[in-house]
Amino acid sequence: MCETETPKIPGWKGWLDLPSPKISGASGPWIDLSHRLTEELSRIPSFPQPHIRQISRIPEARANVTEVHMVVHHGTHIDAPRHFIADGPTMDEIPLDRLYGTGVIWHFDVADGGIIDVADLEAATPRMRPGDMVLIDTSRSRYINTDRYMQHACLTGEAAAWLVEQGAKLVGIDCPTPDLASPLRPPDFAFPVHYNLLSRGVLIAEHVTNLAPLVGKRAEIMFLGLNIAGSDGAPVRPVARVID
């Protein structure tokens, strides 16, 4: 179940030994996988309201200048291992080759609050390869900025462990988190997906969108998060294109 508890909080276990990424030379268009960043964008309830404001404006000033005040996990973003692993790498310590490469895009038709387990991943096509990024489409992004967006499906802890065993480099999903939806969590919820993935350096991408054109295909994918010193995550404008 999604609410499977992690019996012990893990420490950093080191990066998985994965193949170096290669660029295929695909010629198709890049697809933007990010939501437009706004103050009103759906967010985890415990996160503070972001503020985006213009502090300098033409013609009163020489230049337009915008200030952004928000948690790094607002909108489309990636989680660094440090997000849940106390001694894990921060954003500025993530090797660049962990942020781009090839991958697969899988669709799962799951109900509100449903689960994605090992059997679902094993049946998904195309098959993933060691070093792949895995992007999961549940069609949830269509409900962004509504209550239903927060009633998303989740991976089980066992499914996360399976992705580590298969050599995933990054796991992205079209909802706020791959763990149990926040309205459904018990008080002692232990975030098994985050711990299983991040403790082995499998990055997590959340609030991903526009995956439908890529479902069932292999793609080149880039999740170039901001290089923020000491940060446990970073905003990102990811892109992907189908491999010919």
Side-chain angles (χ1 to χ4, degrees), residues 60-242:
E60 292 81 8
R62 288 283 186 180
N64 291 317
V65 178
T66 300
E67 178 184 68
V68 179
H69 182 85
M70 67 181 194
V71 298
V72 294
H73 303 278
H74 181 66
T76 308
H77 67 277
I78 56 175
D79 292 347
R82 183 66 62 88
H83 187 33
F84 273 78
I85 309 303
D87 58 344
T90 55
M91 279 304 305
D92 54 311
E93 296 172 330
I94 295 175
L96 186 60
D97 63 9
R98 298 281 162 161
L99 300 175
Y100 73 95
T102 56
V104 294
I105 297 85
W106 293 338
H107 174 77
F108 299 102
D109 189 11
V110 285
D112 292 5
I115 63 169
I116 300 169
D117 209 346
V118 174
D120 302 304
L121 303 182
E122 289 179 334
T125 56
R127 302 304 303 153
M128 69 167 290
R129 304 168 186 170
D132 270 351
M133 295 181 169
V134 178
L135 304 184
I136 295 174
D137 173 55
T138 66
S139 301
R140 186 59 43 167
S141 62
R142 73 179 74 174
Y143 301 116
I144 190 76
N145 296 332
T146 72
D147 290 341
R148 192 171 180 186
Y149 185 69
M150 305 304 294
Q151 301 292 331
H152 57 82
C154 68
L155 296 172
T156 63
E158 293 77 14
W162 183 89
L163 287 163
V164 172
E165 292 167 3
Q166 302 304 309
K169 179 160 62 177
L170 176 148
V171 176
I173 195 164
D174 64 341
C175 59
T177 172
D179 263 306
L180 187 66
S182 56
L184 306 177
R185 294 172 189 164
D188 58 349
F189 183 66
F191 295 91
V193 177
H194 276 77
Y195 281 119
N196 272 306
L197 296 180
L198 295 178
S199 67
R200 294 310 315 272
V202 182
L203 306 178
I204 297 173
E206 297 164 328
H207 298 289
V208 180
T209 190
N210 296 332
L211 292 175
L214 302 166
V215 164
K217 300 172 183 175
R218 292 191 59 79
E220 289 181 336
I221 304 166
M222 295 186 183
F223 272 84
L224 304 180
L226 297 181
N227 191 18
I228 306 172
S231 181
D232 44 79
V236 62
R237 188 172 188 177
V239 294
R241 63 181 177 185
V242 174

Side-chain angles (χ1 to χ4, degrees), residues 23-37:
I23 297 299
S24 72
S27 58
W30 290 102
I31 296 173
D32 187 347
L33 306 183
S34 66
H35 288 285
R36 189 170 66 94
L37 197 60

